[in-house]
Amino acid sequence: MSRPSDYVDASTPNGSGREPVSQPVLGPVGWIRWAWRQLTSMRTALLLLLLLAIVAIPGSLFPQRSSDPNGVTQYFRDNPDTAPFLDNLQLFDVYSSAWFSSIYILLFVSLIGCIIPRTRHHWQALRQRPPRTPVRLERLADFRERTGVAVDAGEAVQSARKLLTTSGYRTEIYTQTARGGQESVSVSAERGYLRETGNLVFHSAMVGVLLAVGVGGGLGYNGQKVVVEGQTLVNTLLDFNSFNPGRFFNTDTLAPYAVSLDSFEAVYETNNLDAYGQPIDYTANVTTTLPDGESAERTVKVNEPLDIAGTNIYLLGNGYAPTITVRDADDRVVFTDSVPFLPQDTNLTSLGVIKVPDGLDTQLGMTGFFYPTAMRLESGAYASSYPDLVYPVLTLNVFQGDLGINEGAPKSVYTLDADGMEQIAGGDSDTAAIELMPGQRSELPNGLGSITFENAAEPDAEVVDVTGDSAQPETGDDAAEDAGADTSGAPATEAPATDAPATGTPAPGEDATADATQAPANPHGGDGTAASGASSTAEGYSGAVKRFASFDVHHDPGQLWVLVFAVLVVAGLITSLLVPRRRVWVKVSSDGEGTVRIQYAGLARGEDPALGAAVAELDRKHARELGLPSDDGAVG
């Protein structure tokens, strides 16, 4: 059987085969219009939003130069082969990379392209009259009717209009004449435009969030500073350990103020043995000073930043900063400072570096561990069994030689490059590592001078000379491994990490004493182990070692606007989900017997499961207004 001659696939009469399909040719303007429509479609906007979330993942997997420049340096040191390749992919600058910015800008344009035409259409819809009443309301699913009603038609229509207006509907009265010449009067009502308004507010607020984040990032800054008790943070560029300004931030506009760290308080769990030593609270007590000389005592806690001069100061981390004094052979002070030691575990076993570049016959470098509550393991290495000062011990390995700081290249204060230096104490040297407790002093090898571990709580107390009295512990890499410490240190500008809560840390004196041997002699009494349930401020050592706090100073001028737009996003979303879009009609017509017929009907624009109940409720209220029985003559 052959196909009809006019079938689309049929051969042409001359047998030349199928006729080619003629398609319109898109010129340059047509292709631009097509690309714009694709970009501004809601499907594309959702795809770009999902893609933006996916490409942001590397920002949490790799250290970023904008927030952790020292982490990037450390990553290059630890991964010299893969780091350059990842850097070429801009994985250390994810949020300022070309590919992330492209997606961000495309999403921004797509949202604007969606919003503008929809806003124009919505504005036109708001100004239009409600649509005319359908001729046959009975065809609608939600329909009710009353017949034989003895009321005036005009009164019934006005009463229905009043009810609908008070219910939030926009109303319009129409007069219609049916084919048979029968005249009817109806009220056309609609509401729910707030749903589309909420939708537009949601999308506009999303654009606002993107703008606020971009502007805030460009005009804001982040600065990190490690502050020891008794020291001051001044909000100037030179005082920060690291400073990350936005692209458009002017450092000359830094708000002038100073924040002094008066004291740092740490509270640890001592009652629950299963959680012994876990941190409960950290409090940095500070004094703020403004340019006019006004001072105030404030506090900074975890997740409770200090708000001052348009900046927020967050508490990031904390640890111990032993006060060290080095004297030459003639007992002249050549170095004295409170040196931050970086925590290596939950019990604050801490690693630090001391550098003495001047004042002695040779430059000195010392690497050491500080143990707030020292105990000796079976291997001979020390470890800390509790994060507070119960039995503090400082061990130091000493190197002499060139520190490499005279070459002009920046060096980290938390690491010591011992290549080319001679170890004169600890390790494989002939001299034992130096062990000190607060208020003790020891001679340096080769008659170079002496080193004192100052007691910060009793600076005027008599110093005890312990040269040669301490048994040499296992130090260096073996000690670090036994203590769970990281000997790599951290770059100079890196803020020490917050010590995380310990889980299942044994109470000092319980598991600790099971595999611990006698610690060095305690000049204040005690045997080197802390009793179970010991106070977090053991008598004799409370405040003996200063603590440091790591602060992050954050300024974001778009922060408030982000909050405002975020609230609008939520409000717009809730409105667009909860407000129904519907149309309702009430038609009054004569039935030819001196009475009227009243019809009620509704139509939903989308899902509206409550529409039927709304039409029924309108029927009942209208009947009460007209003085009719609520169910008299009502049919579905």
Side-chain angles (χ1 to χ4, degrees):
M1 178 182 292
S2 62
R3 294 177 177 175
S5 60
D6 60 348
Y7 191 75
V8 68
D9 286 340
S11 300
T12 57
N14 58 11
S16 60
R18 299 179 182 177
E19 294 182 356
V21 178
S22 177
Q23 294 182 345
V25 178
L26 293 179
V29 177
W31 279 109
I32 293 175
R33 184 183 296 112
W34 178 85
W36 174 254
R37 288 178 177 175
Q38 296 300 315
L39 177 62
T40 57
S41 66
M42 187 57 64
R43 178 185 300 176
T44 302
L46 293 176
L47 179 62
L48 289 172
L49 187 61
L50 176 62
L51 189 59
L52 188 69
I54 293 175
V55 299
I57 293 177
S60 60
L61 299 179
F62 299 98
Q64 300 297 297
R65 286 191 175 93
S66 60
S67 59
D68 187 12
N70 304 299
V72 176
T73 303
Q74 188 66 36
Y75 193 93
F76 270 82
R77 184 183 296 115
D78 298 338
N79 305 275
D81 297 328
T82 59
F85 174 74
L86 297 177
D87 195 25
N88 290 334
L89 297 178
Q90 297 182 299
L91 292 181
F92 300 116
D93 302 280
V94 169
Y95 306 112
S96 60
S97 63
W99 41 273
F100 186 88
S101 300
S102 299
I103 298 173
Y104 187 91
I105 293 173
L106 285 175
L107 175 61
F108 188 79
V109 173
S110 179
L111 286 174
I112 294 178
C114 291
I115 292 170
I116 292 177
R118 289 181 61 178
T119 302
R120 183 172 60 251
H121 177 75
H122 183 55
W123 174 250
Q124 293 173 352
L126 287 174
R127 301 176 63 187
Q128 292 177 351
R129 299 167 59 190
R132 298 185 68 86
T133 305
V135 176
R136 298 183 178 181
L137 292 179
E138 61 272 12
R139 290 185 175 182
L140 300 179
D142 296 296
F143 171 76
R144 298 176 71 87
E145 182 181 51
R146 289 179 179 270
T147 59
V149 181
V151 296
D152 180 70
E155 179 185 353
V157 169
Q158 292 298 330
S159 176
R161 184 177 191 178
K162 180 180 178 181
L163 282 174
L164 291 169
T165 301
T166 55
S167 298
Y169 287 87
R170 296 190 308 145
T171 61
E172 188 72 24
I173 296 179
Y174 293 101
T175 301
Q176 296 172 303
T177 302
R179 292 181 179 179
Q182 185 179 12
E183 188 177 86
S184 63
V185 182
S186 63
V187 179
S188 177
E190 65 177 349
R191 75 173 187 184
Y193 281 97
L194 190 60
R195 181 189 187 96
E196 179 64 10
T197 302
N199 207 339
L200 291 173
V201 168
F202 168 77
H203 288 89
S204 300
M206 285 288 294
V207 175
V209 169
L210 295 177
L211 276 175
V213 170
V215 172
L219 299 178
Y221 69 87
N222 280 310
Q224 292 76 38
K225 173 70 174 179
V226 175
V227 183
V228 180
E229 288 177 321
Q231 295 182 359
T232 300
L233 160 66
V234 181
N235 193 36
T236 60
L237 183 61
L238 295 178
D239 198 45
F240 286 103
N241 297 131
S242 64
F243 189 80
N244 306 296
R247 186 180 299 273
F248 309 108
F249 180 75
N250 183 2
T251 56
D252 295 334
T253 62
L254 284 170
Y257 63 80
V259 178
S260 300
L261 179 60
D262 301 325
S263 63
F264 187 89
E265 300 173 2
V267 180
Y268 300 101
E269 176 62 52
T270 57
N271 296 321
N272 183 1
L273 296 183
D274 292 332
Y276 200 93
Q278 288 191 9
I280 297 176
D281 186 42
Y282 293 126
T283 303
N285 299 303
V286 301
T287 298
T288 61
T289 305
L290 298 176
D292 58 4
E294 180 184 355
S295 298
E297 295 182 355
R298 310 282 293 276
T299 60
V300 187
K301 291 177 173 287
V302 178
N303 296 326
E304 295 182 18
L306 170 64
D307 185 3
I308 177 173
T311 63
N312 290 321
I313 301 180
Y314 295 88
L315 177 61
L316 295 185
N318 67 88
Y320 289 99
T323 303
I324 305 299
T325 299
V326 177
R327 293 177 172 83
D328 62 11
D330 296 328
D331 207 32
R332 291 191 298 263
V333 175
V334 297
F335 175 89
T336 181
D337 196 9
S338 297
V339 182
F341 275 50
L342 301 182
Q344 304 294 307
D345 59 26
T346 56
N347 286 321
L348 294 192
T349 298
S350 303
L351 173 66
V353 172
I354 303 169
K355 298 180 182 180
V356 185
D358 302 305
L360 300 177
D361 295 337
T362 182
Q363 293 182 339
L364 285 187
M366 291 173 268
T367 61
F369 285 96
F370 175 71
Y371 310 93
T373 302
M375 69 175 188
R376 196 190 295 271
L377 304 175
E378 290 182 347
S379 63
Y382 281 132
S384 179
S385 61
Y386 186 67
D388 214 339
L389 298 175
V390 177
Y391 193 69
V393 173
L394 174 67
T395 64
L396 295 170
N397 289 346
V398 185
F399 299 82
Q400 69 175 5
D402 185 10
L403 292 173
I405 61 177
N406 297 328
E407 301 171 357
K411 298 290 184 179
S412 170
V413 298
Y414 293 114
T415 59
L416 177 66
D417 184 4
D419 293 341
M421 300 187 73
E422 177 188 0
Q423 186 168 6
I424 58 177
D428 297 330
S429 66
D430 297 332
T431 306
I434 297 175
E435 295 182 16
L436 296 172
M437 299 183 70
Q440 292 184 348
R441 168 180 174 174
S442 178
E443 296 295 326
L444 292 170
N446 302 337
L448 293 174
S450 64
I451 181 171
T452 303
F453 184 3
E454 305 287 353
N455 188 333
E458 302 176 6
D460 298 328
E462 181 180 356
V463 177
V464 179
D465 193 329
V466 295
T467 303
D469 290 347
S470 300
Q472 180 181 359
E474 183 180 3
T475 57
D477 294 340
D478 294 336
E481 181 177 354
D482 290 332
D486 179 8
T487 59
S488 62
T493 58
E494 181 178 17
T498 305
D499 41 301
T503 56
T505 303
E510 291 190 348
D511 294 347
T513 57
D515 57 358
T517 59
Q518 185 73 17
N522 184 348
H524 297 280
D527 60 358
T529 58
S532 176
S535 169
S536 61
T537 55
E539 184 179 357
Y541 291 108
S542 175
V545 182
K546 291 185 178 182
R547 299 198 67 145
F548 71 81
S550 176
F551 292 120
D552 179 81
V553 181
H554 180 73
H555 173 64
D556 185 358
Q559 193 172 26
L560 178 61
W561 288 108
V562 170
L563 175 62
V564 171
F565 286 124
V567 172
L568 290 176
V569 165
V570 176
L573 181 61
I574 293 176
T575 302
S576 64
L577 292 176
L578 298 183
V579 175
R581 179 84 181 274
R582 62 174 61 145
R583 290 172 178 172
V584 175
W585 296 276
V586 179
K587 180 189 288 187
V588 181
S589 59
S590 174
D591 57 8
E593 299 179 358
T595 57
V596 296
R597 179 176 60 179
I598 305 177
Q599 295 177 314
Y600 307 88
L603 179 65
R605 298 288 300 272
E607 292 291 333
D608 188 0
L611 179 61
V615 173
E617 182 65 17
L618 174 62
D619 176 20
R620 287 191 292 269
K621 287 184 177 181
H622 194 211
R624 286 197 298 269
E625 288 289 331
L626 298 176
L628 303 175
S630 60
D631 57 350
D632 183 27
V635 295

